[in-house]
Amino acid sequence: MSVSDISEAQYNAISAGAATEKSLGLVGTAVKAAKAGFTDTATAVDGLTTVYNSFQGAVDYDTISDQMLQTQNYGKTTFGELASSIGQVTPVANSLNVSTGELFSSIAILTKNGINTSSAITGLKAAYSNILKPTADASKVAKQLGIDFSSTHLKAVGWTKFMEEIKEKTNGDADAMASLFGSVEALNSMTVLAGAGFEDFTSCLGEMNSAAGLTQESYEKMLTPAERWQIALNKIKNIGIQVGEK
């Protein structure tokens, strides 16, 4: 990149809450993610910082980028679509100890099954809200089925195990699922995740956990010969600036 482009992207990164000492590294990740994710650097910076800030720095920028690109590859979405909507669900996901890998795997499976990105994220948020504040009917049905339908239990066992328990206890019963997840958005999402899509979810989660380096790999695959030449020219220009400064 040219120095002026880097400066603008770095300013945006710091404005989005990135620590100054980490901002240049974030820009490097965002540039590669934008190329591989069919979006622009500003959108990539926005998406990466949103997840990083919501999870309070528990996951680094490179890992977040790798997981978002894995979601793009496994599901039917793009990095840009994820970046634009992910902030709706990350705060509540973190509060319930849902890992970024579990969160992005859930979105990948939902989009793979025909739910658009924004609706998938809205559905997950609704499902988490139903667990945080279950209705009287949900609590009654959960007790009858032997399900600990509470945020405390979800935090203790994790999102994957929680969904597995729902799948086993409801055995695909539509009425039981409707009682547990009252909103249409939540029901649509959980019917997939705690139903026919659960095995696919666990498969995706396995790939998500081994996605390290995907951003760099994807970026290099996307570069055209002309872009590689432009990179070489920019490096020469940047070296010239450094020499001039010295």
Side-chain angles (χ1 to χ4, degrees), residues 51-52 54-56 58-60 63-64 67-68 71 86 89-108 124 128 154-163 193 201-202 204-206 208-210:
V51 179
Y52 184 90
S54 293
F55 282 83
Q56 301 171 325
V59 186
D60 60 54
T63 300
I64 296 168
Q67 291 180 346
M68 290 177 74
T71 305
I86 194 66
V89 72
T90 46
V92 66
N94 180 55
S95 72
L96 291 171
N97 291 346
V98 177
S99 70
T100 55
E102 290 175 319
L103 176 61
F104 285 122
S105 294
S106 299
I107 297 170
L124 279 174
Y128 294 148
L154 170 52
K155 291 177 183 179
V157 301
W159 181 234
T160 303
K161 180 64 177 177
F162 190 86
M163 288 195 295
L193 291 173
F201 165 83
T202 57
C204 180
L205 183 60
M208 194 71 68
N209 291 334
S210 59

mmCIF file of all heavy atoms in Angstrom, residues 51-52 54-56 58-60 63-64 67-68 71 86 89-108 124 128 154-163 193 201-202 204-206 208-210:
data_model
loop_
_atom_site.group_PDB
_atom_site.id
_atom_site.type_symbol
_atom_site.label_atom_id
_atom_site.label_comp_id
_atom_site.label_asym_id
_atom_site.label_seq_id
_atom_site.Cartn_x
_atom_site.Cartn_y
_atom_site.Cartn_z
ATOM 1 N N VAL A 51 -15.733 -6.981 16.633
ATOM 2 C CA VAL A 51 -15.619 -8.277 17.317
ATOM 3 C C VAL A 51 -14.568 -8.201 18.422
ATOM 4 O O VAL A 51 -14.798 -8.679 19.542
ATOM 5 C CB VAL A 51 -15.259 -9.391 16.313
ATOM 6 C CG1 VAL A 51 -15.129 -10.733 17.038
ATOM 7 C CG2 VAL A 51 -16.316 -9.498 15.221
ATOM 8 N N TYR A 52 -13.431 -7.604 18.116
ATOM 9 C CA TYR A 52 -12.344 -7.492 19.094
ATOM 10 C C TYR A 52 -12.808 -6.734 20.338
ATOM 11 O O TYR A 52 -12.574 -7.172 21.471
ATOM 12 C CB TYR A 52 -11.164 -6.762 18.448
ATOM 13 C CG TYR A 52 -9.930 -6.663 19.330
ATOM 14 C CD1 TYR A 52 -8.955 -7.654 19.301
ATOM 15 C CD2 TYR A 52 -9.734 -5.566 20.180
ATOM 16 C CE1 TYR A 52 -7.823 -7.568 20.100
ATOM 17 C CE2 TYR A 52 -8.614 -5.471 20.980
ATOM 18 C CZ TYR A 52 -7.652 -6.469 20.932
ATOM 19 O OH TYR A 52 -6.531 -6.378 21.723
ATOM 20 N N SER A 54 -15.971 -6.189 21.362
ATOM 21 C CA SER A 54 -17.064 -6.880 22.053
ATOM 22 C C SER A 54 -16.548 -8.019 22.926
ATOM 23 O O SER A 54 -17.076 -8.276 24.008
ATOM 24 C CB SER A 54 -18.067 -7.432 21.035
ATOM 25 O OG SER A 54 -18.745 -6.393 20.368
ATOM 26 N N PHE A 55 -15.499 -8.710 22.437
ATOM 27 C CA PHE A 55 -14.919 -9.823 23.195
ATOM 28 C C PHE A 55 -13.737 -9.361 24.050
ATOM 29 O O PHE A 55 -12.975 -10.178 24.567
ATOM 30 C CB PHE A 55 -14.513 -10.949 22.250
ATOM 31 C CG PHE A 55 -15.674 -11.789 21.790
ATOM 32 C CD1 PHE A 55 -16.456 -11.383 20.723
ATOM 33 C CD2 PHE A 55 -16.015 -12.959 22.446
ATOM 34 C CE1 PHE A 55 -17.546 -12.132 20.296
ATOM 35 C CE2 PHE A 55 -17.092 -13.721 22.043
ATOM 36 C CZ PHE A 55 -17.871 -13.310 20.964
ATOM 37 N N GLN A 56 -13.599 -8.037 24.176
ATOM 38 C CA GLN A 56 -12.640 -7.412 25.092
ATOM 39 C C GLN A 56 -11.215 -7.906 24.881
ATOM 40 O O GLN A 56 -10.467 -8.134 25.837
ATOM 41 C CB GLN A 56 -13.091 -7.643 26.536
ATOM 42 C CG GLN A 56 -14.485 -7.050 26.797
ATOM 43 C CD GLN A 56 -15.060 -7.448 28.138
ATOM 44 O OE1 GLN A 56 -14.833 -8.557 28.613
ATOM 45 N NE2 GLN A 56 -15.820 -6.557 28.744
ATOM 46 N N ALA A 58 -10.109 -10.741 23.853
ATOM 47 C CA ALA A 58 -9.813 -12.149 24.165
ATOM 48 C C ALA A 58 -9.308 -12.908 22.942
ATOM 49 O O ALA A 58 -8.626 -13.926 23.073
ATOM 50 C CB ALA A 58 -11.061 -12.830 24.722
ATOM 51 N N VAL A 59 -9.656 -12.412 21.744
ATOM 52 C CA VAL A 59 -9.224 -13.034 20.492
ATOM 53 C C VAL A 59 -8.520 -11.967 19.663
ATOM 54 O O VAL A 59 -9.015 -10.838 19.556
ATOM 55 C CB VAL A 59 -10.431 -13.594 19.702
ATOM 56 C CG1 VAL A 59 -9.959 -14.367 18.480
ATOM 57 C CG2 VAL A 59 -11.280 -14.488 20.590
ATOM 58 N N ASP A 60 -7.370 -12.309 19.087
ATOM 59 C CA ASP A 60 -6.617 -11.293 18.352
ATOM 60 C C ASP A 60 -7.214 -11.053 16.967
ATOM 61 O O ASP A 60 -8.039 -11.831 16.472
ATOM 62 C CB ASP A 60 -5.137 -11.678 18.251
ATOM 63 C CG ASP A 60 -4.906 -12.992 17.531
ATOM 64 O OD1 ASP A 60 -5.383 -13.156 16.389
ATOM 65 O OD2 ASP A 60 -4.225 -13.870 18.105
ATOM 66 N N THR A 63 -6.881 -13.869 14.234
ATOM 67 C CA THR A 63 -7.799 -14.999 14.445
ATOM 68 C C THR A 63 -9.218 -14.636 14.023
ATOM 69 O O THR A 63 -9.910 -15.434 13.387
ATOM 70 C CB THR A 63 -7.786 -15.431 15.924
ATOM 71 O OG1 THR A 63 -6.468 -15.840 16.290
ATOM 72 C CG2 THR A 63 -8.752 -16.582 16.172
ATOM 73 N N ILE A 64 -9.648 -13.437 14.382
ATOM 74 C CA ILE A 64 -10.985 -12.981 13.993
ATOM 75 C C ILE A 64 -11.113 -12.956 12.479
ATOM 76 O O ILE A 64 -12.105 -13.423 11.908
ATOM 77 C CB ILE A 64 -11.279 -11.588 14.581
ATOM 78 C CG1 ILE A 64 -11.316 -11.641 16.104
ATOM 79 C CG2 ILE A 64 -12.612 -11.045 14.041
ATOM 80 C CD1 ILE A 64 -11.316 -10.280 16.769
ATOM 81 N N GLN A 67 -11.359 -16.454 11.060
ATOM 82 C CA GLN A 67 -12.672 -17.056 11.326
ATOM 83 C C GLN A 67 -13.768 -16.449 10.457
ATOM 84 O O GLN A 67 -14.665 -17.167 9.990
ATOM 85 C CB GLN A 67 -13.018 -16.912 12.806
ATOM 86 C CG GLN A 67 -12.147 -17.766 13.722
ATOM 87 C CD GLN A 67 -12.494 -17.611 15.185
ATOM 88 O OE1 GLN A 67 -13.207 -16.697 15.592
ATOM 89 N NE2 GLN A 67 -11.997 -18.523 16.007
ATOM 90 N N MET A 68 -13.688 -15.156 10.210
ATOM 91 C CA MET A 68 -14.684 -14.514 9.350
ATOM 92 C C MET A 68 -14.556 -15.004 7.906
ATOM 93 O O MET A 68 -15.561 -15.225 7.223
ATOM 94 C CB MET A 68 -14.556 -12.996 9.432
ATOM 95 C CG MET A 68 -14.988 -12.421 10.772
ATOM 96 S SD MET A 68 -14.775 -10.625 10.944
ATOM 97 C CE MET A 68 -16.132 -10.019 9.927
ATOM 98 N N THR A 71 -15.980 -18.425 7.709
ATOM 99 C CA THR A 71 -17.445 -18.326 7.647
ATOM 100 C C THR A 71 -17.890 -18.048 6.219
ATOM 101 O O THR A 71 -18.874 -18.620 5.741
ATOM 102 C CB THR A 71 -17.938 -17.194 8.579
ATOM 103 O OG1 THR A 71 -17.446 -17.413 9.896
ATOM 104 C CG2 THR A 71 -19.457 -17.133 8.609
ATOM 105 N N ILE A 86 -22.414 -7.949 12.298
ATOM 106 C CA ILE A 86 -21.979 -8.772 13.430
ATOM 107 C C ILE A 86 -22.127 -8.088 14.778
ATOM 108 O O ILE A 86 -22.343 -8.737 15.812
ATOM 109 C CB ILE A 86 -20.513 -9.237 13.212
ATOM 110 C CG1 ILE A 86 -20.146 -10.364 14.171
ATOM 111 C CG2 ILE A 86 -19.545 -8.068 13.337
ATOM 112 C CD1 ILE A 86 -20.914 -11.637 13.939
ATOM 113 N N VAL A 89 -24.873 -8.935 17.527
ATOM 114 C CA VAL A 89 -24.922 -10.139 18.362
ATOM 115 C C VAL A 89 -23.678 -10.341 19.229
ATOM 116 O O VAL A 89 -23.723 -11.071 20.220
ATOM 117 C CB VAL A 89 -25.159 -11.392 17.472
ATOM 118 C CG1 VAL A 89 -23.916 -11.730 16.658
ATOM 119 C CG2 VAL A 89 -25.602 -12.583 18.304
ATOM 120 N N THR A 90 -22.553 -9.705 18.894
ATOM 121 C CA THR A 90 -21.317 -9.995 19.631
ATOM 122 C C THR A 90 -21.369 -9.655 21.127
ATOM 123 O O THR A 90 -20.843 -10.443 21.930
ATOM 124 C CB THR A 90 -20.120 -9.270 18.980
ATOM 125 O OG1 THR A 90 -20.461 -7.903 18.686
ATOM 126 C CG2 THR A 90 -19.702 -9.966 17.697
ATOM 127 N N PRO A 91 -21.990 -8.536 21.545
ATOM 128 C CA PRO A 91 -21.998 -8.265 22.989
ATOM 129 C C PRO A 91 -22.716 -9.333 23.805
ATOM 130 O O PRO A 91 -22.210 -9.789 24.833
ATOM 131 C CB PRO A 91 -22.722 -6.911 23.073
ATOM 132 C CG PRO A 91 -22.502 -6.278 21.746
ATOM 133 C CD PRO A 91 -22.557 -7.414 20.779
ATOM 134 N N VAL A 92 -23.890 -9.753 23.332
ATOM 135 C CA VAL A 92 -24.644 -10.752 24.089
ATOM 136 C C VAL A 92 -23.969 -12.119 23.981
ATOM 137 O O VAL A 92 -23.979 -12.908 24.940
ATOM 138 C CB VAL A 92 -26.119 -10.818 23.608
ATOM 139 C CG1 VAL A 92 -26.224 -11.333 22.186
ATOM 140 C CG2 VAL A 92 -26.951 -11.688 24.551
ATOM 141 N N ALA A 93 -23.348 -12.428 22.840
ATOM 142 C CA ALA A 93 -22.638 -13.699 22.689
ATOM 143 C C ALA A 93 -21.496 -13.781 23.694
ATOM 144 O O ALA A 93 -21.297 -14.808 24.354
ATOM 145 C CB ALA A 93 -22.117 -13.849 21.264
ATOM 146 N N ASN A 94 -20.739 -12.705 23.827
ATOM 147 C CA ASN A 94 -19.635 -12.694 24.778
ATOM 148 C C ASN A 94 -20.131 -12.816 26.213
ATOM 149 O O ASN A 94 -19.513 -13.496 27.037
ATOM 150 C CB ASN A 94 -18.820 -11.410 24.616
ATOM 151 C CG ASN A 94 -17.653 -11.341 25.574
ATOM 152 O OD1 ASN A 94 -16.826 -12.242 25.625
ATOM 153 N ND2 ASN A 94 -17.571 -10.269 26.346
ATOM 154 N N SER A 95 -21.255 -12.173 26.504
ATOM 155 C CA SER A 95 -21.800 -12.227 27.864
ATOM 156 C C SER A 95 -22.224 -13.635 28.249
ATOM 157 O O SER A 95 -22.282 -13.979 29.432
ATOM 158 C CB SER A 95 -22.989 -11.270 28.004
ATOM 159 O OG SER A 95 -24.123 -11.755 27.306
ATOM 160 N N LEU A 96 -22.508 -14.479 27.244
ATOM 161 C CA LEU A 96 -22.929 -15.865 27.495
ATOM 162 C C LEU A 96 -21.776 -16.855 27.314
ATOM 163 O O LEU A 96 -21.993 -18.071 27.300
ATOM 164 C CB LEU A 96 -24.081 -16.236 26.551
ATOM 165 C CG LEU A 96 -25.407 -15.530 26.820
ATOM 166 C CD1 LEU A 96 -26.409 -15.806 25.695
ATOM 167 C CD2 LEU A 96 -25.996 -15.969 28.164
ATOM 168 N N ASN A 97 -20.569 -16.341 27.152
ATOM 169 C CA ASN A 97 -19.371 -17.176 26.961
ATOM 170 C C ASN A 97 -19.414 -17.999 25.679
ATOM 171 O O ASN A 97 -18.803 -19.073 25.600
ATOM 172 C CB ASN A 97 -19.149 -18.109 28.157
ATOM 173 C CG ASN A 97 -18.730 -17.361 29.415
ATOM 174 O OD1 ASN A 97 -18.364 -16.198 29.356
ATOM 175 N ND2 ASN A 97 -18.799 -18.028 30.551
ATOM 176 N N VAL A 98 -20.144 -17.512 24.686
ATOM 177 C CA VAL A 98 -20.122 -18.159 23.366
ATOM 178 C C VAL A 98 -18.827 -17.721 22.684
ATOM 179 O O VAL A 98 -18.558 -16.524 22.579
ATOM 180 C CB VAL A 98 -21.335 -17.729 22.511
ATOM 181 C CG1 VAL A 98 -21.258 -18.346 21.120
ATOM 182 C CG2 VAL A 98 -22.634 -18.130 23.200
ATOM 183 N N SER A 99 -18.012 -18.656 22.256
ATOM 184 C CA SER A 99 -16.732 -18.306 21.648
ATOM 185 C C SER A 99 -16.934 -17.727 20.250
ATOM 186 O O SER A 99 -17.989 -17.933 19.630
ATOM 187 C CB SER A 99 -15.827 -19.544 21.558
ATOM 188 O OG SER A 99 -16.327 -20.460 20.586
ATOM 189 N N THR A 100 -15.938 -17.010 19.760
ATOM 190 C CA THR A 100 -16.038 -16.471 18.398
ATOM 191 C C THR A 100 -16.138 -17.605 17.382
ATOM 192 O O THR A 100 -16.859 -17.486 16.388
ATOM 193 C CB THR A 100 -14.833 -15.580 18.065
ATOM 194 O OG1 THR A 100 -13.616 -16.315 18.271
ATOM 195 C CG2 THR A 100 -14.823 -14.334 18.923
ATOM 196 N N GLY A 101 -15.438 -18.702 17.634
ATOM 197 C CA GLY A 101 -15.521 -19.847 16.724
ATOM 198 C C GLY A 101 -16.922 -20.417 16.659
ATOM 199 O O GLY A 101 -17.434 -20.741 15.582
ATOM 200 N N GLU A 102 -17.576 -20.540 17.809
ATOM 201 C CA GLU A 102 -18.951 -21.056 17.859
ATOM 202 C C GLU A 102 -19.913 -20.078 17.209
ATOM 203 O O GLU A 102 -20.840 -20.487 16.495
ATOM 204 C CB GLU A 102 -19.357 -21.303 19.315
ATOM 205 C CG GLU A 102 -18.639 -22.464 19.968
ATOM 206 C CD GLU A 102 -18.974 -22.600 21.451
ATOM 207 O OE1 GLU A 102 -19.050 -21.555 22.138
ATOM 208 O OE2 GLU A 102 -19.153 -23.732 21.916
ATOM 209 N N LEU A 103 -19.684 -18.795 17.455
ATOM 210 C CA LEU A 103 -20.563 -17.774 16.889
ATOM 211 C C LEU A 103 -20.492 -17.780 15.361
ATOM 212 O O LEU A 103 -21.526 -17.837 14.680
ATOM 213 C CB LEU A 103 -20.178 -16.398 17.426
ATOM 214 C CG LEU A 103 -20.936 -15.193 16.858
ATOM 215 C CD1 LEU A 103 -22.424 -15.311 17.153
ATOM 216 C CD2 LEU A 103 -20.371 -13.891 17.418
ATOM 217 N N PHE A 104 -19.284 -17.729 14.820
ATOM 218 C CA PHE A 104 -19.138 -17.689 13.366
ATOM 219 C C PHE A 104 -19.547 -19.012 12.708
ATOM 220 O O PHE A 104 -20.073 -19.011 11.594
ATOM 221 C CB PHE A 104 -17.708 -17.316 12.991
ATOM 222 C CG PHE A 104 -17.398 -15.855 13.186
ATOM 223 C CD1 PHE A 104 -16.365 -15.448 14.019
ATOM 224 C CD2 PHE A 104 -18.155 -14.883 12.554
ATOM 225 C CE1 PHE A 104 -16.084 -14.096 14.206
ATOM 226 C CE2 PHE A 104 -17.894 -13.531 12.737
ATOM 227 C CZ PHE A 104 -16.850 -13.144 13.564
ATOM 228 N N SER A 105 -19.337 -20.141 13.387
ATOM 229 C CA SER A 105 -19.793 -21.425 12.851
ATOM 230 C C SER A 105 -21.315 -21.450 12.760
ATOM 231 O O SER A 105 -21.885 -21.977 11.794
ATOM 232 C CB SER A 105 -19.295 -22.582 13.733
ATOM 233 O OG SER A 105 -17.901 -22.698 13.681
ATOM 234 N N SER A 106 -21.977 -20.883 13.767
ATOM 235 C CA SER A 106 -23.448 -20.813 13.756
ATOM 236 C C SER A 106 -23.930 -20.003 12.555
ATOM 237 O O SER A 106 -24.864 -20.415 11.849
ATOM 238 C CB SER A 106 -23.951 -20.173 15.055
ATOM 239 O OG SER A 106 -23.580 -20.931 16.184
ATOM 240 N N ILE A 107 -23.284 -18.859 12.327
ATOM 241 C CA ILE A 107 -23.676 -18.004 11.205
ATOM 242 C C ILE A 107 -23.415 -18.709 9.873
ATOM 243 O O ILE A 107 -24.227 -18.629 8.941
ATOM 244 C CB ILE A 107 -22.918 -16.666 11.261
ATOM 245 C CG1 ILE A 107 -23.300 -15.898 12.529
ATOM 246 C CG2 ILE A 107 -23.218 -15.817 10.028
ATOM 247 C CD1 ILE A 107 -22.431 -14.692 12.804
ATOM 248 N N ALA A 108 -22.294 -19.413 9.786
ATOM 249 C CA ALA A 108 -21.960 -20.130 8.556
ATOM 250 C C ALA A 108 -23.041 -21.159 8.213
ATOM 251 O O ALA A 108 -23.486 -21.257 7.061
ATOM 252 C CB ALA A 108 -20.608 -20.825 8.702
ATOM 253 N N LEU A 124 -29.884 -15.373 15.877
ATOM 254 C CA LEU A 124 -29.014 -15.787 16.982
ATOM 255 C C LEU A 124 -29.190 -14.863 18.186
ATOM 256 O O LEU A 124 -29.265 -15.324 19.328
ATOM 257 C CB LEU A 124 -27.557 -15.772 16.528
ATOM 258 C CG LEU A 124 -27.063 -16.984 15.741
ATOM 259 C CD1 LEU A 124 -25.650 -16.741 15.236
ATOM 260 C CD2 LEU A 124 -27.104 -18.244 16.612
ATOM 261 N N TYR A 128 -30.389 -16.053 21.902
ATOM 262 C CA TYR A 128 -29.650 -15.767 23.129
ATOM 263 C C TYR A 128 -30.521 -14.987 24.112
ATOM 264 O O TYR A 128 -30.459 -15.218 25.329
ATOM 265 C CB TYR A 128 -28.380 -14.974 22.808
ATOM 266 C CG TYR A 128 -27.361 -15.742 21.988
ATOM 267 C CD1 TYR A 128 -26.524 -15.084 21.081
ATOM 268 C CD2 TYR A 128 -27.220 -17.119 22.126
ATOM 269 C CE1 TYR A 128 -25.587 -15.786 20.332
ATOM 270 C CE2 TYR A 128 -26.295 -17.824 21.382
ATOM 271 C CZ TYR A 128 -25.475 -17.145 20.481
ATOM 272 O OH TYR A 128 -24.555 -17.843 19.745
ATOM 273 N N LEU A 154 -25.691 -22.379 30.165
ATOM 274 C CA LEU A 154 -25.023 -22.138 28.876
ATOM 275 C C LEU A 154 -23.582 -21.700 29.103
ATOM 276 O O LEU A 154 -22.653 -22.182 28.431
ATOM 277 C CB LEU A 154 -25.783 -21.077 28.086
ATOM 278 C CG LEU A 154 -25.111 -20.518 26.822
ATOM 279 C CD1 LEU A 154 -24.658 -21.627 25.890
ATOM 280 C CD2 LEU A 154 -26.055 -19.561 26.098
ATOM 281 N N LYS A 155 -23.364 -20.792 30.033
ATOM 282 C CA LYS A 155 -22.011 -20.325 30.324
ATOM 283 C C LYS A 155 -21.129 -21.465 30.829
ATOM 284 O O LYS A 155 -19.930 -21.507 30.546
ATOM 285 C CB LYS A 155 -22.053 -19.217 31.387
ATOM 286 C CG LYS A 155 -22.668 -17.918 30.922
ATOM 287 C CD LYS A 155 -22.715 -16.918 32.073
ATOM 288 C CE LYS A 155 -23.401 -15.631 31.667
ATOM 289 N NZ LYS A 155 -23.481 -14.662 32.790
ATOM 290 N N ALA A 156 -21.739 -22.390 31.564
ATOM 291 C CA ALA A 156 -20.968 -23.485 32.171
ATOM 292 C C ALA A 156 -20.557 -24.550 31.152
ATOM 293 O O ALA A 156 -19.423 -25.039 31.178
ATOM 294 C CB ALA A 156 -21.777 -24.122 33.301
ATOM 295 N N VAL A 157 -21.475 -24.901 30.234
ATOM 296 C CA VAL A 157 -21.201 -26.022 29.321
ATOM 297 C C VAL A 157 -20.757 -25.579 27.933
ATOM 298 O O VAL A 157 -20.194 -26.374 27.166
ATOM 299 C CB VAL A 157 -22.427 -26.949 29.198
ATOM 300 C CG1 VAL A 157 -22.819 -27.495 30.562
ATOM 301 C CG2 VAL A 157 -23.611 -26.242 28.537
ATOM 302 N N GLY A 158 -21.033 -24.328 27.562
ATOM 303 C CA GLY A 158 -20.673 -23.846 26.227
ATOM 304 C C GLY A 158 -21.826 -24.002 25.245
ATOM 305 O O GLY A 158 -22.750 -24.805 25.440
ATOM 306 N N TRP A 159 -21.749 -23.224 24.170
ATOM 307 C CA TRP A 159 -22.822 -23.173 23.185
ATOM 308 C C TRP A 159 -23.015 -24.499 22.464
ATOM 309 O O TRP A 159 -24.136 -24.940 22.221
ATOM 310 C CB TRP A 159 -22.534 -22.052 22.193
ATOM 311 C CG TRP A 159 -23.539 -21.830 21.111
ATOM 312 C CD1 TRP A 159 -23.306 -21.788 19.777
ATOM 313 C CD2 TRP A 159 -24.953 -21.587 21.262
ATOM 314 N NE1 TRP A 159 -24.461 -21.521 19.082
ATOM 315 C CE2 TRP A 159 -25.495 -21.405 19.976
ATOM 316 C CE3 TRP A 159 -25.803 -21.521 22.362
ATOM 317 C CZ2 TRP A 159 -26.841 -21.152 19.752
ATOM 318 C CZ3 TRP A 159 -27.155 -21.269 22.141
ATOM 319 C CH2 TRP A 159 -27.654 -21.090 20.854
ATOM 320 N N THR A 160 -21.939 -25.186 22.132
ATOM 321 C CA THR A 160 -22.036 -26.453 21.401
ATOM 322 C C THR A 160 -22.770 -27.501 22.227
ATOM 323 O O THR A 160 -23.699 -28.158 21.740
ATOM 324 C CB THR A 160 -20.636 -26.969 21.030
ATOM 325 O OG1 THR A 160 -19.950 -25.989 20.253
ATOM 326 C CG2 THR A 160 -20.734 -28.258 20.218
ATOM 327 N N LYS A 161 -22.372 -27.679 23.467
ATOM 328 C CA LYS A 161 -23.001 -28.666 24.349
ATOM 329 C C LYS A 161 -24.448 -28.278 24.638
ATOM 330 O O LYS A 161 -25.331 -29.156 24.681
ATOM 331 C CB LYS A 161 -22.213 -28.760 25.659
ATOM 332 C CG LYS A 161 -22.761 -29.763 26.659
ATOM 333 C CD LYS A 161 -22.694 -31.184 26.129
ATOM 334 C CE LYS A 161 -23.173 -32.183 27.175
ATOM 335 N NZ LYS A 161 -23.188 -33.571 26.660
ATOM 336 N N PHE A 162 -24.708 -27.008 24.813
ATOM 337 C CA PHE A 162 -26.069 -26.528 25.088
ATOM 338 C C PHE A 162 -27.005 -26.905 23.940
ATOM 339 O O PHE A 162 -28.112 -27.414 24.162
ATOM 340 C CB PHE A 162 -26.043 -25.015 25.281
ATOM 341 C CG PHE A 162 -27.321 -24.434 25.806
ATOM 342 C CD1 PHE A 162 -27.575 -24.377 27.162
ATOM 343 C CD2 PHE A 162 -28.279 -23.920 24.935
ATOM 344 C CE1 PHE A 162 -28.764 -23.828 27.656
ATOM 345 C CE2 PHE A 162 -29.459 -23.370 25.409
ATOM 346 C CZ PHE A 162 -29.704 -23.330 26.780
ATOM 347 N N MET A 163 -26.563 -26.681 22.695
ATOM 348 C CA MET A 163 -27.390 -27.034 21.534
ATOM 349 C C MET A 163 -27.565 -28.544 21.422
ATOM 350 O O MET A 163 -28.639 -29.033 21.049
ATOM 351 C CB MET A 163 -26.771 -26.481 20.252
ATOM 352 C CG MET A 163 -26.892 -24.985 20.105
ATOM 353 S SD MET A 163 -26.558 -24.426 18.419
ATOM 354 C CE MET A 163 -24.838 -24.881 18.259
ATOM 355 N N LEU A 193 -29.895 -25.105 13.770
ATOM 356 C CA LEU A 193 -28.690 -25.381 14.548
ATOM 357 C C LEU A 193 -28.845 -26.551 15.517
ATOM 358 O O LEU A 193 -27.921 -27.343 15.700
ATOM 359 C CB LEU A 193 -28.276 -24.124 15.331
ATOM 360 C CG LEU A 193 -27.764 -22.958 14.485
ATOM 361 C CD1 LEU A 193 -27.556 -21.729 15.359
ATOM 362 C CD2 LEU A 193 -26.479 -23.328 13.775
ATOM 363 N N PHE A 201 -22.656 -28.132 11.885
ATOM 364 C CA PHE A 201 -22.089 -27.117 12.770
ATOM 365 C C PHE A 201 -20.804 -27.618 13.421
ATOM 366 O O PHE A 201 -19.796 -26.899 13.457
ATOM 367 C CB PHE A 201 -23.111 -26.730 13.853
ATOM 368 C CG PHE A 201 -22.526 -25.963 15.006
ATOM 369 C CD1 PHE A 201 -22.327 -24.588 14.913
ATOM 370 C CD2 PHE A 201 -22.146 -26.618 16.175
ATOM 371 C CE1 PHE A 201 -21.770 -23.874 15.972
ATOM 372 C CE2 PHE A 201 -21.586 -25.913 17.233
ATOM 373 C CZ PHE A 201 -21.397 -24.541 17.130
ATOM 374 N N THR A 202 -20.825 -28.825 13.949
ATOM 375 C CA THR A 202 -19.627 -29.361 14.610
ATOM 376 C C THR A 202 -18.488 -29.544 13.616
ATOM 377 O O THR A 202 -17.317 -29.334 13.960
ATOM 378 C CB THR A 202 -19.926 -30.702 15.299
ATOM 379 O OG1 THR A 202 -20.440 -31.651 14.339
ATOM 380 C CG2 THR A 202 -20.979 -30.529 16.396
ATOM 381 N N CYS A 204 -18.040 -27.669 10.908
ATOM 382 C CA CYS A 204 -17.571 -26.308 10.633
ATOM 383 C C CYS A 204 -16.720 -25.792 11.782
ATOM 384 O O CYS A 204 -15.683 -25.147 11.560
ATOM 385 C CB CYS A 204 -18.761 -25.378 10.397
ATOM 386 S SG CYS A 204 -18.313 -23.664 10.038
ATOM 387 N N LEU A 205 -17.130 -26.071 13.008
ATOM 388 C CA LEU A 205 -16.391 -25.615 14.177
ATOM 389 C C LEU A 205 -14.980 -26.207 14.184
ATOM 390 O O LEU A 205 -14.009 -25.527 14.534
ATOM 391 C CB LEU A 205 -17.131 -25.990 15.455
ATOM 392 C CG LEU A 205 -16.500 -25.518 16.773
ATOM 393 C CD1 LEU A 205 -16.387 -23.996 16.810
ATOM 394 C CD2 LEU A 205 -17.325 -26.013 17.966
ATOM 395 N N GLY A 206 -14.869 -27.477 13.774
ATOM 396 C CA GLY A 206 -13.554 -28.112 13.689
ATOM 397 C C GLY A 206 -12.651 -27.390 12.702
ATOM 398 O O GLY A 206 -11.466 -27.154 12.974
ATOM 399 N N MET A 208 -13.089 -24.287 11.759
ATOM 400 C CA MET A 208 -12.907 -22.935 12.281
ATOM 401 C C MET A 208 -11.718 -22.885 13.235
ATOM 402 O O MET A 208 -10.923 -21.941 13.222
ATOM 403 C CB MET A 208 -14.174 -22.485 13.006
ATOM 404 C CG MET A 208 -14.264 -21.012 13.313
ATOM 405 S SD MET A 208 -14.537 -19.981 11.846
ATOM 406 C CE MET A 208 -16.211 -20.458 11.373
ATOM 407 N N ASN A 209 -11.585 -23.916 14.042
ATOM 408 C CA ASN A 209 -10.514 -23.954 15.035
ATOM 409 C C ASN A 209 -9.141 -24.230 14.415
ATOM 410 O O ASN A 209 -8.121 -24.132 15.095
ATOM 411 C CB ASN A 209 -10.829 -25.010 16.103
ATOM 412 C CG ASN A 209 -12.014 -24.606 16.970
ATOM 413 O OD1 ASN A 209 -12.304 -23.429 17.132
ATOM 414 N ND2 ASN A 209 -12.712 -25.585 17.517
ATOM 415 N N SER A 210 -9.135 -24.606 13.146
ATOM 416 C CA SER A 210 -7.855 -24.862 12.470
ATOM 417 C C SER A 210 -7.674 -23.930 11.272
ATOM 418 O O SER A 210 -6.995 -24.276 10.307
ATOM 419 C CB SER A 210 -7.783 -26.329 12.019
ATOM 420 O OG SER A 210 -8.837 -26.644 11.131
#
